[in-house]
Amino acid sequence: MQQEHKINDEDISEKFPQFSEFVSTCFHGICTRKQLFKRIPVLQWLPSYKVEYLLADIVAGLSVALTVIPQGIAYAAIANLDPQYGLYSAFMGCFIYFLLGSCKDVTIGPTAIMSLMVQAHVGNTGVEFAILSAFVTGCMILLLGVLNLGFLVQFISYPVTAGFTSAAAITIASGQIKSLLGISGQSNEFLESWINVFQQIQDIRLWDSVLGVSTIIILLILMQMKNMKGNSCWRMVGKYITLSRNAIAVISGSLLAYVLSDVGNVQPFLLTGNVTPGLPPFQLPPFTTSLDGQVFSFTEMIAELGTSLITLPLIAILESIAIAKAFSKGKPIDATQEMIALGISNIAGSFVSSMPVTGSFTRSAVNNNSGVRTQFGGIITGAVVLLALGLLAESFYYIPKATLAGVIIAAMFFMVEFRAAVEIWHTKRVDIIPMTSTLLACLLLGLEYGMLVGIGVNVCIILQQISRPIVVPVRLTIDGTDVLILQPDQSLVYSSAEYLKYHVLKQANKYPDAIIVLDGSHISSLDTTVAKVFVSMSQDVEHSNRRIVYWKWKRPAQCTLLRMERKLFQNLFRNDENLQKIIQEGLSNQQTTVAV
């Protein structure tokens, strides 16, 4: 028998010193106390927690809970899932963000946009696909966070984001019209929703419609209660009525349905139905499932999720980081930490049957307006949601679908970016093109394709601007000699080369006796195509017995041209600020092309 040899750290260090040094370098600083406190923010703020913060956090936590419970039920309906799955998502998001979140105002949970995107991909394939999408989304977000790739969302511009958000709000509201009017239908897409309404217009239920429209009106009225005038007591009452308006609407609708159903023995409204009571089951995400007798392996489930594997993480990151920045009050936001918190929230949520989650602007605003002091408010919200699942699940049966539809539609009024459109129009009108393109494409093609269209249009506009540098001609007379100064306003890339050559030669032909001075103050770099075009342009000027001057060019750009054609350019560059001196030197040299 061979003698066993136990390998310890000293053996590795002695036999593989390079490997040991590599490992030490990779993990140096990762497990330090500073990094631990940075990546688990609860360790920073909890030891310094003050008792006077408790009341404010409890009030904020209760206010958010009164908002998230009806929203969780409603957003689950958008995703074509049973109501309890929206509540599972809400409580797990609250608990994880309590531990890992870096912004006290942000709340993590189901949102309208995420629910709509889940419905688009997995709404007809079963809850197992929605839970798996939460797990995969969390893994993707966590990976992007660990690799510090959050900068990718910076390629999605403000106009594209505004168009996407507006389109999502319109799509979500359109998808709820069927519930508002009491008619059947499965799709939540914009066109399909309205086609379904017109096809079933004769089946509209009167009392569902009355209740839904009344809910919207009441919510808009309650929204204005925060502006109530009077003493501080009445203003405080108005403030908390506004904050709890969704809960008030849902409770009122449920009581009305209960009284009419159990006391009056009539059921004029379509109801939410049974909600599974109790705590969510703690189990592994479904890596395999069966649907309609067909067994799906993990790879087949991933293939079924399709483009949502990319769009869901990107939208989740975009929403969450944007909300954190909005409520940071100028403080720097650790985007990596927010992505880690969001990723782990989705991963942990998948173990309790959660759908994908992200930051909610509505609930974060409620949290902020309620005066939350720390992330401890999230624990209160999560606890209330769990109590509701355990004690109030049976009462959720009586929530009218029209009431939930009214709650969602009223919330969507404030998601349409009318103000952003006005700002963009006043700031830079060309940016209205990507916003409008994104809006229309999202409505007609779907959210993920619409965002790709918007990004593509935005990139095309940027490329067009890059390929069309502004060159303003300035004509001077120095010692009786005409001088034409041409200064491009930006660095040059291959797409702008021929345009610049055409513009320079066009201006030069207007003044055939002028010395051409090409000012390179703003040109920091060139590519091969641009260098090749400059060679051609200089030779054309030389053949026409004209003089050209390369003035104030930066060293990297000079080196590129010299490497391309040293003989042609080696005597052409000068950085002297005195242009008169340069022109005089050129004239005294009696050269066809002024050496500058």
Side-chain angles (χ1 to χ4, degrees), residues 75-76 79 81 85-86 89 110-111 115 118 130-131 134 346 353-357:
Y75 294 157
L81 301 175
Y85 294 105
S89 307
T111 65
S115 299
V118 168
I131 297 170
N346 278 280
S353 303
S354 167
M355 54 193 263
V357 297

Side-chain angles (χ1 to χ4, degrees), residues 67-320:
T67 302
V68 73
I69 291 173
Q71 283 190 345
I73 296 171
Y75 294 157
I78 292 176
N80 282 350
L81 301 175
D82 292 334
Q84 64 268 20
Y85 294 105
L87 299 180
Y88 296 165
S89 307
F91 101 86
M92 182 53 75
C94 291
F95 279 117
I96 297 299
Y97 199 80
F98 161 78
L99 298 173
L100 302 177
S102 61
C103 181
K104 65 181 178 63
D105 299 291
V106 173
T107 63
I108 300 293
T111 65
I113 294 177
M114 293 292 282
S115 299
L116 180 62
M117 298 188 72
V118 168
Q119 189 276 334
H121 289 278
V122 302
N124 299 318
T125 53
V127 67
E128 291 83 5
F129 287 86
I131 297 170
L132 182 62
S133 71
F135 177 78
V136 176
T137 296
C139 292
M140 291 290 292
I141 295 172
L142 182 60
L143 180 63
L144 292 173
V146 171
L147 297 178
N148 291 317
L149 296 178
F151 72 91
L152 292 174
V153 298
Q154 297 175 2
F155 289 95
I156 305 176
S157 67
Y158 176 62
V160 172
T161 303
F164 174 83
T165 304
S166 300
I170 295 170
T171 302
I172 292 166
S174 299
Q176 293 303 303
I177 294 295
K178 61 181 184 294
S179 297
L180 189 79
L181 302 178
I183 59 180
S184 61
Q186 292 296 322
S187 177
N188 285 323
E189 295 297 327
F190 175 72
L191 289 179
E192 287 84 348
S193 296
W194 286 105
I195 291 172
N196 179 65
V197 168
F198 287 111
Q199 287 177 342
Q200 301 189 56
I201 196 168
Q202 71 279 0
D203 298 328
I204 291 176
R205 295 168 58 96
L206 174 62
W207 294 112
D208 282 283
S209 304
V210 171
L211 178 62
V213 173
S214 300
T215 299
I216 295 174
I217 294 172
I218 291 171
L219 286 170
L220 295 178
I221 293 173
L222 293 180
M223 183 70 180
Q224 302 304 316
M225 295 291 287
K226 64 182 179 182
N227 300 320
M228 182 184 295
K229 297 181 179 180
N231 56 39
S232 58
C233 180
W234 282 109
R235 289 198 299 270
M236 186 65 67
V237 170
K239 173 184 175 181
Y240 285 107
I241 287 176
T242 297
L243 292 175
S244 57
R245 63 188 182 279
N246 290 332
I248 292 172
V250 171
I251 292 172
S252 301
S254 302
L255 287 174
L256 178 61
Y258 174 78
V259 170
L260 292 175
S261 179
D262 280 24
V263 179
N265 293 321
V266 293
Q267 190 168 318
F269 312 123
L270 296 176
L271 304 180
T272 298
N274 292 320
V275 176
T276 303
L279 301 180
F282 187 83
Q283 57 192 9
L284 287 173
F287 296 119
T288 60
T289 188
S290 59
L291 181 66
D292 298 330
Q294 180 182 357
V295 177
F296 286 82
S297 65
F298 176 71
T299 53
E300 289 172 334
M301 293 180 72
I302 292 295
E304 190 72 21
L305 293 176
T307 57
S308 67
L309 299 177
I310 299 174
T311 55
L312 278 172
L314 287 179
I315 297 305
I317 293 170
L318 184 65
E319 278 197 88
S320 190

Side-chain angles (χ1 to χ4, degrees), residues 517-572:
V517 177
L518 197 59
D519 188 340
S521 301
H522 300 304
I523 302 175
S524 57
S525 63
L526 302 174
D527 59 33
T528 304
T529 305
V530 177
K532 197 74 175 175
V533 170
F534 269 115
V535 171
S536 172
M537 182 181 68
S538 300
Q539 290 174 344
D540 288 346
V541 172
E542 184 180 85
H543 292 157
S544 62
N545 294 323
R546 300 288 301 278
R547 299 174 184 140
I548 188 168
V549 175
Y550 287 82
W551 187 38
K552 294 183 180 179
W553 281 60
K554 293 180 172 57
R555 184 171 181 80
Q558 290 186 31
C559 291
T560 301
L561 291 177
L562 289 172
R563 286 193 295 268
M564 174 62 69
E565 192 68 48
R566 176 171 294 275
K567 184 177 180 180
L568 178 64
F569 291 106
Q570 63 182 350
N571 295 318
L572 297 182

